Amino acid sequence: MKRAKPIYVELDMKTDMDHLWAHTQQPDKHEQWDLRFSEIRYLPKTSPGAQHFRYMTRIGFGLRIEGSGETKERFDVRTGERVSTLRFGSEQRASLIREGRGYWKYVPQDGRIVFLTQYDYDTRFGSAGKIFDRYVFRPLMGYATAWSFDALRIWLERGIVPAITIERALIHYGSVMLLAALWTYEGLVPKLLMPGGGELELMLQTGWFPGRETNVLTWMGIAEIGMAAAVFVFHRHKRLFAAQGLLLGMLAAAAFVANPELLAAPFNPLTLSLPMIGLGWVASRTANNLPQAGRCRRRPVRRAERKVDGHGVHL
């Protein structure tokens, strides 16, 4: 099997070199924004040069992966660029990563810092491990790296600490997923799969579409599934949630006009519409200052192309 490409992530940040360096080289700051690590601990230096460290990553269900590594620093007085190279690895048999190598590079450019990384690693578990890495693990690692870089950018540029950013993201994406699931259910089950459960009768009671109720109900179901897709794809657009609230209000009003007795039912359009409107409001309020992995460049440009070994960057 052809070797997978190294992971590359690059992002411009409006900050100064010392500020960025501190937030990426000090373990107590680094572990706050980097999704790949739960804990980083520097070991006492025994000699000048390499800084040895231990890291730990919680993977859920009480499981964690631990490993170790070393990092070295290089500083170019002429250009102001800095490089931090590293080697890392884990002896745990449960760890997919056996050992790896990479670098962080800091390039001053036009009042900002271009912060980039490239790293690669060897895997365990033979061919199965390589296949899992290529199609699942490596894409997730690349996404987590890019998402983390943008979380760091938000911290440096806007002063929003990663804990708040991550909490906002969890609330936002949780609301979006619930909304998408509700729209999908409402379009698929009562309108497309089981119209006889009450939706068709309600449509007949309105008298608005004589002889075409079944077709209208079908198109309404398709439209609601389309709304689920729109909520999922355009979840950063606040106007979408405003339009959704208006649509839900209109649908609920139409149902009560057709059958006012629905208000007495324990589960009625109002008990569904209000929570969905509330979820839309929460998603709208948390749409700002969310990290975006897509903001990062994932392929090196010519000026940034470098080859990496375990001890330094070959220029």
Side-chain angles (χ1 to χ4, degrees), residues 19 32 53 57 88 95 116 134 193 211 220 246 253 271 290 309:
H19 207 199
Q32 290 186 56
F53 62 89
T57 302
F88 57 93
S95 173
L116 60 95
R134 177 184 289 271
L193 299 180
M220 285 182 64
L246 180 61
T271 60
L290 290 178
D309 68 5

Side-chain angles (χ1 to χ4, degrees), residues 13-17 19-20 111-113 156-157:
M13 301 188 185
K14 296 178 181 178
T15 185
D16 60 82
M17 180 67 77
H19 207 199
L20 177 57
R112 65 187 190 279
I113 306 296
L156 294 172
E157 294 183 359

